[in-house]
Amino acid sequence: MVDLANKDEFLIDKKIVVALSGGIDSVVLLHFLSKHYPGKVRAIHINHNLSNYCHQWQSFCKNLCQNANINFKSVDIFIESISNVEEIARKKRYLSLTSELKADEILCTGHHQDDQAETLLLQLFRGSGVAGLSAMPKNKTIHGSQLYRPLLTISRKQITDYAIENHLDWVEDDSNKNINFRRNLLRLEFLPKLSAVFANLTKNIARSAKHQAEALKLMHDLAKLDIANHNLIIEDKLQVTPLVELPKRRMVNVIRHYISQHELLSPSDKVLQEIISLIHAKADAKSIVSWHHYQVRRYHNELYFFDKNYTNSTRPCRYYDSLKDLPNFEVRFRQDGQRIKLKGKQHSQSLKKILQEANIPPWERDHLRMYYIDGKLRAMENLGEMVDG
């Protein structure tokens, strides 16, 4: 257990990146880690450009790192929407942070025990299930990178005491006093009153989050067993026929696990019920279930989950990689009535028929990239190499 006096065993031999806001939590985290792992820590500051003081905070973080001989980088992000600013800013922040990480680095944030208690209560008030009530895990994978929260068992008071003892300076975010943000309302008005009645309140709430996290792990373990025992996933697609043989609670558990593993935003109970209805619909019914910018479709008794913001044009393709640097390279898309000749075939065939036989879903067919060199078709995404027909 981290006690701000000894090394965190988990971080030994790791290269560390601290998400440095300039607030007391991240400043203490940076000081603690750089003290115990000198030369292995660097810092990234995300400038949200939301406050009139944002550039002052950026300068503070830069000077702090320069004085401590710590590598520093600042990244600007901009929030266009005026609704749900907290959530949008959080998503953009983590996306920017993980995009800056090198393959062998781990991201550390300054979340602490009081943050954990606040998160659980916010999730509880939203009616969240086990996943939401497990709050923040100490270690998780996000956008393909590792996120670690060394201070998650440390209280806000311990962090403040550490900062004072080590004569640390930090900045105060003016938005932290804005009770229009629900977390601030909870922190400033509700929790102090509850703490006056219930001893060790935040510690106990954080312990409840830990229990929920353990329950969530058991649910994931069950989902993995069901997936393996019933062959529920083939080529990353959920198989409808064996899925419907499961009791509904375990079917739902598998779906939630699949969505979580693909880092999609968890659907509401209403959306989840729509997915269950899609599973039980007639074979290949042309139905789509959508939530946020995600979709699930059913085709040939398989469920396809995808992010509408992640288009085929950004999907890796080995044919694209092998041809893109050749002279007169073009990307085109299929046309009605088109015929092509696959490599090794004697005659050309209808592209429509080839796509059907390849079991490519209808909604993907018009978006598959066709690669041309000097006006001649050389390969097609998902199908392979070919000659101009």
Side-chain angles (χ1 to χ4, degrees):
M1 177 176 174
V2 179
D3 58 9
L4 291 179
N6 300 295
K7 283 188 176 183
D8 185 330
E9 297 295 324
F10 178 79
L11 292 173
I12 292 177
D13 297 327
K14 290 185 172 62
K15 293 182 179 179
I16 303 165
V17 175
V18 172
L20 181 64
S21 68
I24 187 172
D25 305 332
S26 64
V27 167
V28 166
L29 178 64
L30 182 68
H31 186 274
F32 167 74
L33 293 177
S34 59
K35 174 183 176 182
H36 289 295
Y37 312 99
K40 294 185 177 180
V41 179
R42 69 185 183 99
I44 297 177
H45 173 77
I46 302 296
N47 188 339
H48 298 82
N49 290 285
L50 289 172
S51 170
N52 294 330
Y53 306 102
C54 63
H55 297 298
Q56 295 179 28
W57 301 338
Q58 179 178 318
S59 296
F60 170 84
C61 292
K62 182 179 179 179
N63 292 333
L64 176 68
C65 290
Q66 284 180 342
N67 293 336
N69 197 27
I70 296 171
N71 184 280
F72 171 80
K73 182 173 184 179
S74 181
V75 178
D76 283 294
I77 63 174
F78 298 91
I79 313 298
E80 295 83 11
S81 175
I82 59 173
S83 62
N84 204 11
V85 172
E86 287 178 286
E87 180 66 14
I88 294 172
R90 184 188 68 82
K91 289 180 179 178
K92 282 201 169 188
R93 179 169 62 251
Y94 277 116
L95 183 59
S96 297
L97 286 166
T98 53
S99 297
E100 293 291 333
L101 291 184
K102 299 172 185 175
D104 58 348
E105 290 181 324
I106 182 170
L107 176 66
C108 289
T109 63
H111 294 105
H112 49 72
Q113 190 177 82
D114 294 65
D115 292 325
Q116 183 75 307
E118 292 164 10
T119 299
L120 183 144
L121 289 176
L122 287 170
Q123 294 289 355
L124 179 65
F125 298 154
R126 292 173 184 144
S128 299
V130 172
L133 296 179
S134 64
M136 297 181 289
K138 190 160 189 174
N139 190 11
K140 69 176 292 187
T141 299
I142 179 170
H143 303 307
S145 299
Q146 196 170 12
L147 169 63
Y148 186 62
R149 299 178 171 105
L151 307 182
L152 206 55
T153 58
I154 303 297
S155 70
R156 181 178 284 117
K157 183 180 184 305
Q158 288 173 288
I159 288 173
T160 302
D161 291 344
Y162 181 97
I164 294 172
E165 288 171 11
N166 289 276
H167 309 289
L168 302 181
D169 294 320
W170 62 89
V171 297
E172 294 285 354
D173 187 340
D174 54 316
S175 69
N176 286 340
K177 295 181 180 179
N178 183 355
I179 60 173
N180 289 322
F181 294 126
R182 293 175 182 175
R183 183 179 289 272
N184 292 343
L185 179 65
L186 195 63
R187 177 187 302 146
L188 298 174
E189 297 198 3
F190 294 161
L191 279 173
K193 293 177 181 178
L194 290 170
S195 296
V197 178
F198 300 98
N200 300 315
L201 179 70
T202 56
K203 183 178 180 179
N204 290 338
I205 294 175
R207 187 169 66 245
S208 293
K210 183 181 178 181
H211 294 328
Q212 294 296 321
E214 291 171 352
L216 182 63
K217 288 179 182 178
L218 289 173
M219 292 168 65
H220 284 318
D221 288 343
L222 177 59
K224 291 174 184 176
L225 287 172
D226 279 337
I227 289 168
N229 292 338
H230 301 282
N231 202 24
L232 296 180
I233 297 179
I234 298 177
E235 295 182 354
D236 204 35
K237 294 181 283 291
L238 279 173
Q239 306 299 302
V240 170
T241 301
L243 193 60
V244 295
E245 298 299 321
L246 291 177
K248 182 179 178 181
R249 63 185 180 278
R250 285 165 64 176
M251 182 195 307
V252 169
N253 187 47
V254 167
I255 294 170
R256 288 195 183 280
H257 172 75
Y258 181 94
I259 289 172
S260 172
Q261 294 302 109
H262 287 74
E263 296 186 21
L264 308 181
L265 192 65
S266 181
S268 65
D269 287 343
K270 180 181 178 181
V271 170
L272 195 59
Q273 187 54 52
E274 291 175 2
I275 295 174
I276 298 300
S277 298
L278 177 64
I279 291 172
H280 288 289
K282 292 181 179 178
D284 297 334
K286 293 183 179 180
S287 299
I288 303 172
V289 176
S290 301
W291 73 102
H292 298 280
H293 48 84
Y294 306 110
Q295 283 188 348
V296 56
R297 302 185 188 222
R298 175 175 167 174
Y299 177 68
H300 284 184
N301 277 330
E302 294 181 322
L303 294 183
Y304 291 74
F305 290 78
F306 50 92
D307 185 339
K308 290 184 289 184
N309 290 346
Y310 184 65
T311 63
N312 285 32
S313 61
T314 59
R315 186 166 60 189
C317 174
R318 63 189 180 95
Y319 306 112
Y320 173 83
D321 291 338
S322 66
L323 297 171
K324 64 183 176 65
D325 296 324
L326 295 178
N328 300 318
F329 171 74
E330 289 182 87
V331 176
R332 302 180 189 175
F333 298 93
R334 76 165 180 150
Q335 300 175 1
D336 290 339
Q338 194 169 4
R339 296 180 66 85
I340 63 172
K341 186 189 293 185
L342 293 170
K343 191 173 182 179
K345 296 289 185 179
Q346 296 295 320
H347 304 286
S348 65
Q349 297 173 275
S350 161
L351 178 55
K352 180 179 180 179
K353 183 178 179 181
I354 291 174
L355 293 171
Q356 288 174 339
E357 292 176 349
N359 200 32
I360 294 175
W363 62 87
E364 290 189 2
R365 295 172 190 171
D366 289 339
H367 302 286
L368 293 178
R369 291 170 286 181
M370 304 177 73
Y371 309 124
Y372 287 77
I373 302 294
D374 292 325
K376 295 184 178 181
L377 182 62
R378 292 284 297 275
M380 185 170 181
E381 185 179 15
N382 284 20
L383 288 183
E385 296 181 60
M386 54 193 68
V387 295
D388 196 39

